[in-house]
Structure formats: structure tokens, C-alpha cells
Amino acid sequence: MNTKVQDIVATDLAPQVGNKGGLAVAVYSNGHAQFFDYGFADRATKRSVTPDTLFNIASVRKPFEATLVALGSVRGELRLDDLASTYVPELQGDYIRRVTIRQLVSHTSGLLLPTDHPPWPNETFTLQQFFDMLNAWTPPSGEQPGQQRIYSHAGYVLLQLVLERRYQRSIRDLIETRILKPLGMNETFVPEREEDNRAGLPPQLLRRVVQGYSDSGAAIGPPGNQQSYYDFPGTGQMFSSVRDLAIFLAASLGGEVADPQLRQALRMTQREMFRVSEKFGQSMAWETVRLDDVEVVDKPGGLNNATAYIGLVPARNLGIVLLANSGNFPHEIARYDVLPKLARLNAP
């Protein structure tokens, strides 16, 4: 084990755990992964976090859907500039009919539905209600498709539907067969939500799932809790371990990927598509951040009882995964402190 890496993680990240739950970390550098675990997967039972503990990864699911889009583009199965309405003909509104796959995958569609920002809705929406919202959408400030970056969960729900309609397969099947299995990721799952909003996982897997906690340490939901404002299949969250996500991390950094088209797609998702400011840019799901001496490509995710983060420094062939079973875990520390420190260790 690289003790310098261990010291950075222990100094910058471990103290943030407190009594809120636990944290699992994977650091990939110099061609291999190291794993660090802190705290409890479940405080009530004193079950400790391990590299194989399963966490809700929230919006870290989005790079997987972006990879499906990139892979479809590489294989000539779809085009980034195809209209979403080509695949989802229910989209009839004046605005939404002009939105493309490129704009959905890069958060430049201009969509900002009630499910995208607080105050968060109390109700859920059926598929037809989702279409009704999209068709009625008129941007309040004159936004136009492709002209601005506005982070939109709803845009990725629509992107899921585009992919499902294009391939006539569920998003779960597409992620499993096109990404997880080719990469050898056997511990990442896209379960449906059961009636109690619990992930539909077999008992042996549910026993490895964390209990989620609020940022104040209160338990929220049962282990395997899923949350969604959308009441139709495929709209919950993925579950994974840091050990499995380290495989995705390595593949995204150019590690061994048997399928050359998948390798190309993984790199394609990281290319900046929209410049937000001098410091920030938007790629396909990924964000790009220019710091003083390093450029970070990353994706955070979070719910009120889960925090996830995956960050890359492609120029140094290194990256990190954080999975915490508490809301609002300060993942920004990885972007602004940990990754730059690790990059200096890997400097030529």
C-alpha cells in the first residue's frame, strides 16, 4: 500500500465521517486500486463498511447512461444531434420537440422541471404526467436548447426513455449488457423500486447494503432505500461498491477494456461539450474543473441519505471514488484537495 496515499485519505476524508455512518474510498493510481474504509454501514448493528459494501450511488449513475449514448454514437446506432422526439413521439410541445440527445446528455437542454430543484415536490409523476410536464415546458427566462448549462435530473430521465425506445430494452438491461458485463462489473445493480421504496434486490445482497443517514445522523428509510419523483420503471438509483466502481474508474482512465468501441465511448464522455466559465465545463454527464495545477473530470451525486463521487485526473492516470451513507457528505474535498494532492504524487 502506498502510505502517502493512505495519509492523504486519512487526513482529508476520514475525519469527515464522524458519527453519521461510514465511508468507502477507492484510489486508483499507478495502475492499481487501493481501498480505504471508515465507520459503519449500519450503526445499529455495528456492521462495518468494507470495499464490498453496497451503497446507493445516486447521480453517479449518469456517467453510465452517458456511456450508453456515446457507445451508440460510436457504433452508428444513434446520432448526438438526433431529436429526442424522434424516439419518443409523445414529445409534442413547441420547446421539447427541438431538444436533442446531445443537449440532454450535456445538461444544455434548458429543461428545469419541478423535480430538478427545491422546493422538492411531495408527489410522484406517472409517465403520462412526465410527458405532460415536458410538453408544457416554456423556459421562464427565454432559454433555448443548447445555449446554456442547467443541471437537469428530468433531462436524464428523458434520456433514459430515449435509450429504451431506441433499443427496445430496459435501461437496466442496457447498462448491464453494454457496460457492466463487458467491464467485469459484477457487483453493480440497477434494481426496480418495490412498494416500500426499497431496492428490489435478493436478500443476500440486501444484507450488504448500507443504512442511509441524514447529514445530522438520523436514519432515513430502510437499507436499500430508493427515491424518485417518477413512478415508472427504471427511475430509481443504482447500487454498487467501491471495489466495483474502481473497475469503471480504471476503464475510464484508459485501463484494459476488451471492446475498443466501449473504450472509445468511455473517453468520449469526458470531452468537454459546453464551456460554463473559465474554470468549469460540462461533458457528457461529467463535469470538468480547471484548478491551478490540475484538470479534474468528475461527477458527484447525492440524496438526503447518500453521497457519491467519482473523480478523474486523466493527465496523471489517477482517480478516486467516494461512497458515503449520509447526505451532504463534503465530497468537494476530493475535487479541490485530495485529487490535487494525489496528482502531485504522480507528477512526472
Side-chain angles (χ1 to χ4, degrees), residues 11 28 31 39 73 92 102 117 123 132 136 159 161 207-208 216 221 229 261 268 275 279-280 295 316 324 334 339:
T11 300
Y28 179 85
S73 176
Q92 297 290 324
R102 180 190 302 274
H117 57 84
E123 68 270 28
D132 291 343
L159 186 65
L161 294 174
R207 286 192 289 269
R208 291 167 46 198
S216 63
Y229 294 113
Q261 292 178 322
M268 179 179 172
R275 177 66 59 88
K279 187 174 183 178
F280 293 98
E295 182 169 310
R316 296 286 190 269
L339 282 173

Coordinates of all heavy atoms in Angstrom, one line a residue, residues 11 28 31 39 73 92 102 117 123 132 136 159 161 207-208 216 221 229 261 268 275 279-280 295 316 324 334 339:
T11 N -6.1 11.9 6.4 CA -6.1 13.3 6.9 C -7.3 14.1 6.4 O -7.9 14.8 7.1 CB -4.8 13.9 6.4 OG1 -3.7 13.2 7.0 CG2 -4.7 15.4 6.9
Y28 N -7.3 5.0 -7.4 CA -6.6 4.4 -8.5 C -5.5 5.2 -8.9 O -5.6 6.4 -9.3 CB -7.6 4.1 -9.7 CG -7.0 3.4 -10.9 CD1 -6.9 2.1 -10.9 CD2 -6.4 4.2 -11.9 CE1 -6.3 1.4 -12.0 CE2 -5.8 3.5 -13.0 CZ -5.8 2.2 -13.0 OH -5.2 1.5 -14.1
G31 N -1.7 2.4 -11.9 CA -2.2 1.1 -12.5 C -2.9 0.2 -11.5 O -3.2 -0.9 -11.9
G39 N -15.9 3.8 9.5 CA -17.2 3.9 10.0 C -18.1 2.7 9.8 O -17.7 1.6 9.4
S73 N -23.4 6.2 -30.3 CA -22.8 7.1 -31.4 C -21.6 6.5 -32.1 O -21.5 6.5 -33.3 CB -22.4 8.5 -30.7 OG -21.8 9.3 -31.7
Q92 N -44.5 16.6 -27.9 CA -45.2 17.4 -28.9 C -45.1 18.9 -28.6 O -45.5 19.7 -29.5 CB -46.6 17.0 -29.0 CG -46.9 15.5 -29.4 CD -46.5 15.3 -30.9 OE1 -46.8 16.2 -31.7 NE2 -46.0 14.2 -31.2
R102 N -27.8 15.3 -27.7 CA -26.6 16.0 -27.3 C -26.9 16.9 -26.1 O -26.2 17.0 -25.1 CB -26.0 16.8 -28.4 CG -24.7 17.6 -28.1 CD -24.4 18.5 -29.2 NE -24.2 17.8 -30.5 CZ -23.0 17.3 -30.8 NH1 -22.0 17.3 -30.0 NH2 -22.9 16.6 -32.0
H117 N -35.2 20.9 -8.7 CA -34.8 22.0 -7.8 C -35.7 22.1 -6.6 O -36.9 21.8 -6.7 CB -34.7 23.3 -8.5 CG -36.0 23.8 -9.1 ND1 -36.9 24.4 -8.4 CD2 -36.5 23.6 -10.4 CE1 -38.0 24.7 -9.2 NE2 -37.7 24.2 -10.4
E123 N -45.3 15.0 -4.4 CA -45.9 13.9 -5.2 C -45.0 13.2 -6.2 O -43.9 13.7 -6.4 CB -47.2 14.5 -5.9 CG -46.8 15.4 -7.1 CD -46.7 16.9 -6.6 OE1 -46.4 17.1 -5.5 OE2 -47.0 17.7 -7.5
D132 N -46.6 15.3 -20.0 CA -47.4 16.5 -19.9 C -46.6 17.7 -19.4 O -46.7 18.8 -20.0 CB -48.6 16.3 -19.0 CG -49.7 15.4 -19.5 OD1 -49.6 15.1 -20.7 OD2 -50.5 14.9 -18.7
A136 N -45.5 20.9 -21.8 CA -46.0 22.3 -21.4 C -44.8 23.2 -21.0 O -45.0 24.4 -20.8 CB -46.9 22.1 -20.1
L159 N -33.6 11.1 -21.2 CA -32.6 10.4 -21.9 C -32.7 8.9 -21.7 O -32.5 8.1 -22.7 CB -31.2 10.9 -21.4 CG -30.0 10.3 -22.2 CD1 -30.0 10.8 -23.6 CD2 -28.7 10.7 -21.4
L161 N -35.5 7.3 -21.4 CA -36.6 6.9 -22.3 C -36.2 6.8 -23.7 O -36.6 5.9 -24.5 CB -37.8 7.8 -22.1 CG -38.5 7.8 -20.7 CD1 -39.5 8.9 -20.7 CD2 -39.1 6.4 -20.5
R207 N -28.4 -7.7 2.5 CA -27.7 -7.7 3.7 C -26.4 -7.0 3.6 O -25.7 -6.7 4.6 CB -27.4 -9.2 4.1 CG -28.6 -9.9 4.6 CD -28.3 -11.2 5.3 NE -27.9 -12.2 4.3 CZ -28.7 -13.1 3.7 NH1 -30.0 -13.0 4.0 NH2 -28.3 -14.0 2.8
R208 N -25.9 -6.7 2.4 CA -24.7 -5.9 2.2 C -24.9 -4.4 1.9 O -24.0 -3.7 1.7 CB -23.9 -6.5 1.0 CG -23.3 -7.9 1.3 CD -22.9 -8.6 0.1 NE -22.0 -7.7 -0.8 CZ -21.8 -8.0 -2.0 NH1 -22.3 -9.0 -2.6 NH2 -21.0 -7.1 -2.7
S216 N -27.4 14.9 9.7 CA -27.3 15.0 11.2 C -27.2 13.7 11.9 O -27.1 13.6 13.1 CB -28.5 15.8 11.7 OG -29.7 15.0 11.4
G221 N -35.1 5.9 6.0 CA -35.5 4.7 5.2 C -34.8 3.4 5.6 O -33.9 3.5 6.5
Y229 N -38.9 10.8 -8.0 CA -40.2 11.6 -8.2 C -41.0 11.0 -9.4 O -42.1 11.5 -9.7 CB -39.9 13.0 -8.5 CG -39.2 13.8 -7.3 CD1 -37.9 14.2 -7.4 CD2 -40.0 14.0 -6.2 CE1 -37.4 14.9 -6.3 CE2 -39.4 14.6 -5.1 CZ -38.1 15.1 -5.1 OH -37.5 15.7 -4.1
Q261 N -14.6 -0.2 -29.0 CA -15.7 0.8 -29.1 C -16.1 1.3 -27.7 O -16.4 2.5 -27.5 CB -16.8 0.2 -29.9 CG -16.5 0.0 -31.4 CD -17.7 -0.7 -32.1 OE1 -18.4 -1.5 -31.6 NE2 -17.8 -0.3 -33.4
M268 N -14.9 9.3 -24.8 CA -15.8 10.3 -25.5 C -16.6 11.1 -24.5 O -16.8 12.3 -24.6 CB -16.6 9.6 -26.5 CG -17.6 10.5 -27.3 SD -18.5 9.5 -28.5 CE -19.7 10.8 -29.0
R275 N -18.6 25.0 -22.5 CA -17.8 25.8 -21.5 C -18.8 26.7 -20.7 O -19.5 27.5 -21.2 CB -16.8 26.7 -22.3 CG -16.0 27.6 -21.4 CD -15.1 26.8 -20.5 NE -14.1 26.0 -21.3 CZ -12.9 26.4 -21.7 NH1 -12.6 27.6 -21.5 NH2 -12.2 25.5 -22.4
K279 N -13.3 28.4 -15.5 CA -12.9 27.3 -14.6 C -13.7 26.0 -14.8 O -13.1 24.9 -14.7 CB -13.1 27.7 -13.2 CG -12.5 26.7 -12.1 CD -12.6 27.4 -10.7 CE -12.0 26.5 -9.7 NZ -12.1 27.1 -8.3
F280 N -15.0 26.1 -15.2 CA -15.8 24.9 -15.3 C -16.3 24.6 -16.7 O -16.5 25.6 -17.5 CB -17.0 25.1 -14.4 CG -16.7 25.2 -12.9 CD1 -16.6 26.4 -12.3 CD2 -16.5 24.0 -12.2 CE1 -16.3 26.4 -10.9 CE2 -16.2 24.0 -10.9 CZ -16.1 25.3 -10.2
E295 N -6.3 19.4 -14.0 CA -7.7 19.4 -14.5 C -8.4 18.2 -14.0 O -7.9 17.0 -14.3 CB -7.7 19.5 -16.0 CG -9.1 19.6 -16.6 CD -9.2 19.9 -18.1 OE1 -8.5 20.9 -18.5 OE2 -9.9 19.2 -18.8
R316 N -2.8 12.5 -15.2 CA -2.0 11.8 -14.3 C -2.4 10.3 -14.1 O -1.8 9.6 -13.3 CB -2.1 12.4 -12.9 CG -1.5 13.8 -12.8 CD 0.0 13.9 -12.9 NE 0.5 15.2 -12.6 CZ 0.7 16.1 -13.5 NH1 0.5 15.9 -14.8 NH2 1.2 17.3 -13.2
A324 N -20.5 7.3 0.6 CA -20.9 7.6 1.9 C -22.4 7.3 2.1 O -23.2 7.6 1.2 CB -20.6 9.0 2.4
A334 N -12.7 16.0 -2.1 CA -11.9 15.2 -3.1 C -11.5 16.0 -4.3 O -10.4 15.8 -4.8 CB -12.8 14.0 -3.5
L339 N -7.6 15.1 -4.8 CA -7.1 14.8 -6.2 C -5.9 15.7 -6.5 O -4.9 15.2 -7.1 CB -8.2 15.0 -7.2 CG -9.2 13.8 -7.3 CD1 -10.4 14.2 -8.2 CD2 -8.6 12.6 -7.7

